[in-house]
Amino acid sequence: MPRDAPVPPPLRVVVLPNRAWAPELLAFRPGEAPDPLRLHRLLAERGIVLEVLDPLPPPYNPWGRGPPLFAGFDPLRALRVLLARRSADLVISVFESGAAVPLLLRRLLRFRPPVALWDVSEASDWRPRQMTLDFVLPRIDALLALTSRQKTSTEQRFALRRPAELIGYAIDDDFYHPDFARDGAYVLSVGEDASRDYPTLLAAMREV
């Protein structure tokens, strides 16, 4: 790009988790867990800015103390997105419930940004979850799948608008790099949850 060329504005992406992310971000201590903000920085370097809107607590969210499926519906948060985030380039719901209300009301409120799903639950015998999947999956504009199995199984079960995009996981290479390993025995704990408390895990395993 020429030096005098105008810099394009960043792409604005609104992220709707089905549980609060802010406590994990505030509690993060370098070296104790994978960096939960690494993905944010990598995307910012590419001109993509994430705005995370956690589910609201009660009484603003009537299901704020319920399971993540119910907490993610959060009708007031959905209205904030539909009315005050109309200039966003993309809305991403983490799991399916955060997308339900925006998808239900976006035509009525003429909300134009596409709504995508980042991660999705498996088919379930729990009726509320299955009803949410049945409503959301055929209506989302894109599915960002974390694994190839998730991609193929969801495409087989639902009539998606377009094939799912396989994006994989964001790995904190620094945290897991062998150069930073300490001497001693190890326990392997696999998970994407940045709130996993590794020092407590190791302390609990000392007597095992």
Side-chain angles (χ1 to χ4, degrees), residues 1-190:
M1 179 182 296
R3 289 186 179 181
D4 57 350
V7 178
L11 296 176
R12 295 180 55 206
V13 178
V14 178
V15 181
L16 307 178
N18 63 352
R19 57 180 179 79
W21 283 9
E24 299 173 4
L25 302 180
L26 294 173
F28 171 69
R29 298 291 181 272
E32 292 186 357
D35 186 352
L37 288 173
R38 185 170 186 272
L39 177 61
H40 296 239
R41 291 194 298 271
L42 290 173
L43 292 175
E45 292 171 2
R46 291 159 175 77
I48 302 171
V49 176
L50 298 185
E51 179 188 11
V52 178
L53 296 180
D54 281 344
L56 295 170
Y60 308 103
N61 181 359
W63 304 291
R65 291 194 180 93
L69 174 71
F70 293 147
F73 289 122
D74 196 345
L76 185 56
R77 178 183 65 170
L79 286 174
R80 287 173 60 198
V81 173
L82 292 167
L83 298 176
R85 303 297 189 278
R86 304 177 72 86
S87 62
D89 295 289
L90 176 65
V91 175
I92 296 180
S93 173
V94 182
F95 288 101
E96 51 278 352
S97 58
V101 178
L103 291 174
L104 180 66
L105 298 179
R106 68 175 176 179
R107 181 173 295 181
L108 175 65
L109 298 178
R110 298 180 181 180
F111 186 74
R112 298 188 180 279
V115 179
L117 200 59
W118 176 6
D119 209 348
V120 61
S121 300
E122 293 286 335
S124 174
D125 293 333
W126 188 32
R127 185 173 175 80
R129 183 179 303 284
Q130 191 57 48
M131 290 177 63
T132 305
L133 290 169
D134 291 340
F135 175 79
V136 168
L137 267 297
R139 293 171 172 81
I140 57 167
D141 299 296
L143 170 62
L144 309 178
L146 300 183
T147 66
S148 57
R149 180 183 180 279
Q150 188 179 79
K151 170 180 166 65
T152 55
S153 64
T154 307
E155 289 174 346
Q156 290 170 358
R157 293 188 347 247
F158 298 96
L160 301 179
R161 291 187 169 188
R162 56 180 53 84
E165 297 286 343
L166 180 60
I167 63 170
Y169 289 87
I171 304 299
D172 185 347
D173 298 331
D174 292 335
F175 180 76
Y176 292 107
H177 198 285
D179 289 348
F180 298 99
R182 301 172 184 173
D183 293 335
Y186 290 90
V187 173
L188 174 63
S189 174
V190 179

